[in-house]
């Protein structure tokens, strides 16, 4: 334990809660994580304890893992976006307006789309669809006449017909041309249906952004038209008297653009293209900047891939300033600025809660128990390891570290060739890990730690087994090393003393999290509280609202978790507004083409055959079949 008292302030600093939480999350005096869904709009939001929610869900029979959704946060994020653009436009005297659209692909769940269209109704918020299924969802849930519906992606006749149907019923579908061949289909179908369509073009900019999604932009992007193709579209539309239908310029720099300079550069290039289209005679009205508004997952406020070196207000000011300056230079009316900010809209909206099932600890005391009183009868290399341990000092840590690996590797080879016994190998391994542990302890006291020794804590870290699947609930953490804040949701009045990595319950070595934010640094271990069998210990993975549900994978046939939506009441209590039961074993088996009913029939037949063979009794058959059927109906995750 440290000499200073441990409290919520120390815990907030350790886990950098203020940096990534954006005021939506905090730690109470009781040491529990609080969520403040309405704080952006209501400064005196009383907040809700996540542990209080866990307790309430348990009483209702809703088990962990569970995904919590907070619709109030979604409402707050949408309002913040419009407010920031309106403030920027007022400050600069911008004569156009702002329209936001939500890209359905970021989180396609029905409840998410329903809530976004509901909260966005008064704001005029629209949707972006990139497939027929998304287009049909948008046509169903957009409420306001004139709602902007950006139609991206590759389009066939049916897609275009559906979008034009949307125009007939009062929506504002914008058919964005992605490939030159779409133009002919669009012209033919709009004539057939008697509709003057709203047309956009997606262009490839030379500007690129850093980060995981940099290939989305640049002139080698697989999406959009180059300059020559864009001009052919202009000429084709002019030739049929439809150039006035070309109203929107669209580009997409990336899903998460961490550096504001990349954003400014891309907006500048897009504005030059927009101005050129106006001069060609196109009926331009909208400038669609696509996505890219980043989420500061690690709270560093930097240009790191999981961060952002700008705020929402800075983003809006920079966009408005660049657009206005270029349009004024060319004496062009200020366009309607459109953004497709999906990640920044929904990331804060969802929190994954899961309980710890078990812990595998590196136990130095157990290593010591294996050490014999007398090592003289052991192999020379084993005795050398013992000497390294005895003579270990701060001055010799590098040499001791190197020697420990040398002798350990030598003894492993001796064991392979039968030169030492299994018991002696266990002694050698105990000596080796005792050395490594002591070196790690000394390193924590040093001002400078040699580079090879900087990751020692990770090699002796505990493994905390969480009741969840990385592949199902946090797939980007596995696929692209996306960072998500993960911290305990209680016990913050106690100092965490264990260094840990987190493993899920899949039987896959990739099912682990080993990237955390600790005291302003990204580290490979997380400080957690000591866990003992029987402890109820809950962790939360935050900012998981974007992409994670949609990209989830049925690894080991672990399915969707329980999902609960929670609204904060005026008196500080909360209400469950929606409850979606997680996948059962039967559900996930059916997803991969099994027939659960046929499986039960087959098991019944096997059990009956076992009765005939006198392997089990008739009474045992009943019990076994009941167990099998209960298993089919059960949650795919660990159940108490």
């Amino acid at each position: 334990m440290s000499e200073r008292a441990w409290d919520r302030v120390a815990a907030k600093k350790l886990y950098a809660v203020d940096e990534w939480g954006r005021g939506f999350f905090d730690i109470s005096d009781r040491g529990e994580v609080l969520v403040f869904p309405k704080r952006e709009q209501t400064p005196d939001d009383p907040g809700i304890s996540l542990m209080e929610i866990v307790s309430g869900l348990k009483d209702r029979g809703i088990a962990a893992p569970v995904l919590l959704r907070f619709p109030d946060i979604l409402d707050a994020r949408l309002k913040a976006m419009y407010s920031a653009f309106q403030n920027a436009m007022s400050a600069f005297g911008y004569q156009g307006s702002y329209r936001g659209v939500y890209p359905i692909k970021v989180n396609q769940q029905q409840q998410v789309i329903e809530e976004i269209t509901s909260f966005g109704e008064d704001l005029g918020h629209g949707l972006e669809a990139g497939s027929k299924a998304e287009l049909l969802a948008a046509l169903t849930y957009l409420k306001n006449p004139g709602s902007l519906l950006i139609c991206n992606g590759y389009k066939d006749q049916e897609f275009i017909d559906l979008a034009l149907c949307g125009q007939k019923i009062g929506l504002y579908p914008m058919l964005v041309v992605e490939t030159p061949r779409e133009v002919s289909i669009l012209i033919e179908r709009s004539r057939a249906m008697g509709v003057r369509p709203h047309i956009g073009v997606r262009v490839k900019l030379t500007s690129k952004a850093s980060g995981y999604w940099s290939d989305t932009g640049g002139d080698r992007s697989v999406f959009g038209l180059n300059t020559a193709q864009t001009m052919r579209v202009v000429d084709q539309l002019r030739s049929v008297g439809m150039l006035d239908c070309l109203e929107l310029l669209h580009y997409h720099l990336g899903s998460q653009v961490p550096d504001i300079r990349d954003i400014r550069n891309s907006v500048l290039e897009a504005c030059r293209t927009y101005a050129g289209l106006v001069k060609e005679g196109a009926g331009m009205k909208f400038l669609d900047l696509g996505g890219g508004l980043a989420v500061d997952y690690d709270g560093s406020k930097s240009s790191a891939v999981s961060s952002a070196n700008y705020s929402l207000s800075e983003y809006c000011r920079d966009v408005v300033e660049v657009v206005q300056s270029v349009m004024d230079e060319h004496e062009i009316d200020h366009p309607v600025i459109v953004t497709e900010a999906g990640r920044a809209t929904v990331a804060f909206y969802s929190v994954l809660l899961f309980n710890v099932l078990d812990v595998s600890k590196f136990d130095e005391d157990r290593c010591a128990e294996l050490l014999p009183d007398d090592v003289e009868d052991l192999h020379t290399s084993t005795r050398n390891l013992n000497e390294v341990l005895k003579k270990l000092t701060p001055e010799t840590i590098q040499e001791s570290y190197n020697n420990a690996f040398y002798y350990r590797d030598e003894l492993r080879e001796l064991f392979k060739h039968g030169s030492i016994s299994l018991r002696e190998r266990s002694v050698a391994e105990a000596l080796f890990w005792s050395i490594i542990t002591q070196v790690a302890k000394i390193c924590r006291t040093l001002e400078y730690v040699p580079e090879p020794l900087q990751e020692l804590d990770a090699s002796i870290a505990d493994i905390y087994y969480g009741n969840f699947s990385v592949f199902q609930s946090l797939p980007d953490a596995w696929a692209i090393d996306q960072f998500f804040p993960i911290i305990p949701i209680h016990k913050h009045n106690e100092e965490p003393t264990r260094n840990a990595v987190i493993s899920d319950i899949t039987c896959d070595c990739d099912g682990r999290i080993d990237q955390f934010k600790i005291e302003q640094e990204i580290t490979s271990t997380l400080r957690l509280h000591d866990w003992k069998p029987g402890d109820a210990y809950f962790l939360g993975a935050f900012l998981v609202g974007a992409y994670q549900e949609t990209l989830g994978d049925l690894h080991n046939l672990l399915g969707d978790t329980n999902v609960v939506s929670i609204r904060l009441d005026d008196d500080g209590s909360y209400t469950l507004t929606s409850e979606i039961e997680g996948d059962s074993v039967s559900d996930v088996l059916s997803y991969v083409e099994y027939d659960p009913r046929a499986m039960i029939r087959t098991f019944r037949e096997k059990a009956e055959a076992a009765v005939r063979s006198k392997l089990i009794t008739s009474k045992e058959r009943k019990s076994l079949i009941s167990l099998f059927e209960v298993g089919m109906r059960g949650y795919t995750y660990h159940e108490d």
Side-chain angles (χ1 to χ4, degrees):
M1 297 287 289
S2 59
E3 294 182 3
R4 62 180 172 79
W6 188 264
D7 56 16
R8 61 182 289 271
V9 176
K12 287 173 63 175
K13 180 180 179 182
L14 176 69
Y15 297 113
V17 174
D18 287 343
E19 285 70 29
W20 56 258
R22 282 191 53 86
F24 288 121
F25 302 100
D26 204 343
I27 295 176
S28 71
D29 291 333
R30 294 176 57 186
E32 297 177 352
V33 173
L34 302 177
V35 58
F36 294 88
K38 297 182 178 181
R39 180 173 274 183
E40 280 197 351
Q41 306 298 327
T42 309
D44 59 350
D45 179 357
I48 313 169
S49 163
L50 293 183
M51 275 305 292
E52 182 182 339
I53 293 173
V54 167
S55 178
L57 295 180
K58 183 178 180 181
D59 290 343
R60 293 171 171 87
I62 302 172
V66 59
L67 185 76
L68 301 184
R69 292 179 182 152
F70 296 97
D72 292 316
I73 291 181
L74 199 54
D75 188 20
R77 294 300 294 153
L78 287 174
K79 289 177 179 174
M81 194 93 62
Y82 279 82
S83 176
F85 265 109
Q86 288 165 1
N87 290 340
M89 289 175 173
S90 296
F92 286 100
Y94 191 83
Q95 299 303 304
S97 60
Y98 169 71
R99 297 283 295 275
V101 298
Y102 171 74
I104 296 176
K105 64 178 176 288
V106 177
N107 191 329
Q108 300 107 319
Q109 302 298 320
Q110 181 274 337
Q111 181 185 23
V112 179
I113 303 307
E114 185 175 24
E115 289 176 343
I116 284 176
T117 53
S118 177
F119 294 137
E121 185 174 4
D122 292 339
L123 300 171
H125 205 69
L127 293 174
E128 181 267 345
S131 69
K132 289 179 196 174
E134 291 182 352
L135 177 57
L136 289 167
L139 292 172
T140 303
Y141 284 97
L142 279 174
K143 296 177 170 57
N144 286 343
S147 290
L148 192 58
L149 171 54
I150 302 294
C151 299
N152 288 326
Y154 296 111
K155 305 166 194 67
D156 59 12
Q157 177 179 317
E158 186 178 14
F159 188 113
I160 291 172
D161 285 354
L162 286 168
L164 295 176
C165 283
Q167 187 168 335
K168 282 177 171 288
I169 63 172
L171 300 177
Y172 204 110
M174 183 66 67
L175 284 153
V176 179
V177 175
E178 299 268 4
T179 65
R181 64 174 294 274
E182 293 175 355
V183 180
S184 297
I185 304 173
L186 177 52
I187 292 171
E188 189 275 324
R189 295 313 302 163
S190 62
R191 284 175 170 172
M193 296 183 67
V195 176
R196 295 284 292 179
H198 306 293
I199 302 174
V201 288
R202 177 170 178 168
V203 296
K204 296 180 181 181
L205 301 182
T206 58
S207 303
K208 293 185 69 174
S210 59
Y212 298 126
W213 300 274
S214 59
D215 289 342
T216 308
D219 53 15
R220 292 300 297 163
S221 166
V222 298
F223 299 105
L225 309 176
N226 60 33
T227 304
Q229 291 171 326
T230 301
M231 296 313 297
R232 284 200 291 272
V233 169
V234 169
D235 292 340
Q236 189 173 0
L237 291 175
R238 180 185 286 118
S239 69
V240 295
M242 292 177 61
L243 188 55
D244 62 306
C245 296
L246 180 56
E247 301 178 356
L248 176 141
L249 176 72
H250 170 54
Y251 72 91
H252 185 64
L253 195 62
S255 175
Q256 163 99 354
V257 182
D259 195 331
I260 191 64
R261 290 173 296 180
D262 294 332
I263 291 171
R264 289 185 67 101
N265 287 335
S266 66
V267 174
L268 178 61
E269 184 180 355
C271 285
R272 297 296 181 192
T273 304
Y274 182 99
L277 291 173
V278 172
K279 290 183 178 180
E280 286 288 329
M284 303 301 293
K285 298 176 184 176
F286 301 91
L287 177 61
D288 183 351
L289 313 183
L293 179 57
V295 171
D296 195 357
Y297 289 94
D298 66 26
S300 63
K301 296 179 174 60
S302 70
S303 58
V305 293
S306 291
S307 185
N309 63 5
Y310 55 90
S311 64
L312 174 59
S313 59
E314 182 182 356
Y315 170 86
C316 296
R317 288 196 302 270
D318 284 8
V319 165
V320 170
E321 179 187 9
V322 173
V323 175
Q324 180 169 336
S325 64
V326 174
M327 300 306 153
D328 287 350
E329 177 186 338
H330 291 277
E331 298 182 345
I332 294 172
D333 290 343
H334 298 168
V336 177
I337 295 174
V338 179
T339 67
E340 300 177 11
R343 184 183 298 273
T345 301
V346 297
F348 289 89
Y349 167 58
S350 301
V351 179
L352 175 70
L353 301 184
F354 58 93
N355 54 311
V356 171
L357 299 174
D358 200 0
V359 174
S360 175
K361 296 181 180 179
F362 176 78
D363 197 328
E364 186 182 358
D365 293 335
R366 290 185 181 177
C367 287
E369 291 173 3
L370 294 172
L371 303 182
D373 295 331
D374 184 7
V375 297
E376 293 306 314
D377 293 334
L378 300 178
H379 193 278
T380 302
S381 293
T382 308
R383 296 201 302 273
N384 288 341
L385 269 178
N386 193 47
E387 286 300 307
V388 171
L389 180 60
K390 285 182 178 179
K391 296 178 179 180
L392 179 59
T393 66
E395 291 72 31
T396 66
I397 57 168
Q398 181 72 72
E399 180 182 359
S400 299
Y401 173 85
N402 295 338
N403 287 339
F405 275 93
Y406 175 80
Y407 293 124
R408 192 276 306 268
D409 292 345
E410 188 174 72
L411 285 158
R412 286 181 173 178
E413 289 301 314
L414 289 168
F415 176 75
K416 289 178 186 177
H417 292 91
S419 300
I420 64 172
S421 67
L422 178 62
R423 184 164 294 278
E424 181 164 352
R425 177 176 171 175
S426 72
V427 171
E429 295 287 341
L431 285 166
F432 171 80
W433 286 112
S434 294
I435 293 166
I436 296 301
T437 304
Q438 292 303 315
V439 169
K441 285 182 177 178
I442 293 171
C443 286
R444 293 172 201 150
T445 68
L446 299 179
E447 193 169 314
Y448 169 74
V449 178
E451 186 174 347
L453 310 184
Q454 291 174 4
E455 296 298 323
L456 277 186
D457 275 337
S459 67
I460 59 174
D462 299 337
I463 303 172
Y464 277 55
Y465 295 95
N467 188 18
F468 76 111
S469 164
V470 168
F471 307 97
Q472 177 60 247
S473 294
L474 299 172
D476 277 344
W478 163 72
I480 57 173
D481 292 325
Q482 171 70 45
F483 176 86
F484 296 98
I486 298 178
I487 69 169
I489 64 168
H490 58 142
K491 292 194 172 184
H492 289 294
N493 285 337
E494 306 171 27
E495 183 172 9
T497 58
R498 307 297 299 188
N499 286 329
V501 297
I502 297 172
S503 172
D504 67 9
I505 59 173
T506 65
C507 55
D508 194 312
C509 59
D510 284 339
R512 59 186 275 152
I513 307 289
D514 54 9
Q515 189 177 211
F516 309 99
K517 185 69 176 288
I518 296 293
E519 293 180 334
Q520 309 305 317
E521 297 290 335
I522 300 295
T523 69
S524 56
T525 60
L526 179 65
R527 292 264 293 281
L528 294 176
H529 303 89
D530 194 15
W531 181 91
K532 294 180 177 59
D535 284 354
Y537 192 49
F538 284 85
L539 304 181
F542 295 81
L543 314 189
V544 301
Y547 294 103
Q548 302 319 294
E549 289 185 76
T550 300
L551 296 177
D553 183 277
L554 290 175
H555 202 70
N556 282 133
L557 296 184
L558 291 166
D560 284 338
T561 67
N562 294 318
V563 180
V564 174
S565 292
I566 292 174
R567 298 294 299 266
L568 182 64
D569 298 327
D570 292 338
D571 61 359
S573 61
Y574 65 88
T575 300
L576 271 61
T577 59
S578 174
E579 175 189 337
I580 302 172
E581 190 172 354
D583 286 333
S584 68
V585 172
S586 177
D587 291 333
V588 297
L589 286 169
S590 66
Y591 298 158
V592 288
E593 302 177 6
Y594 291 90
D595 183 341
R597 289 177 295 181
M599 292 173 68
I600 291 172
R601 285 197 304 270
T602 300
F603 187 79
R604 285 175 179 271
E605 292 167 1
K606 288 186 175 183
E608 183 60 28
V611 172
R612 291 198 304 270
S613 301
K614 301 189 183 309
L615 296 175
I616 60 174
T617 67
S618 299
K619 191 172 183 180
E620 286 175 317
R621 175 188 184 274
K622 178 182 178 182
S623 176
L624 293 177
I625 291 173
S626 175
L627 182 62
F628 191 88
E629 291 176 342
V630 168
M632 278 287 189
R633 295 192 297 270
Y635 200 17
T636 59
Y637 295 92
H638 183 275
E639 298 179 274
D640 292 333

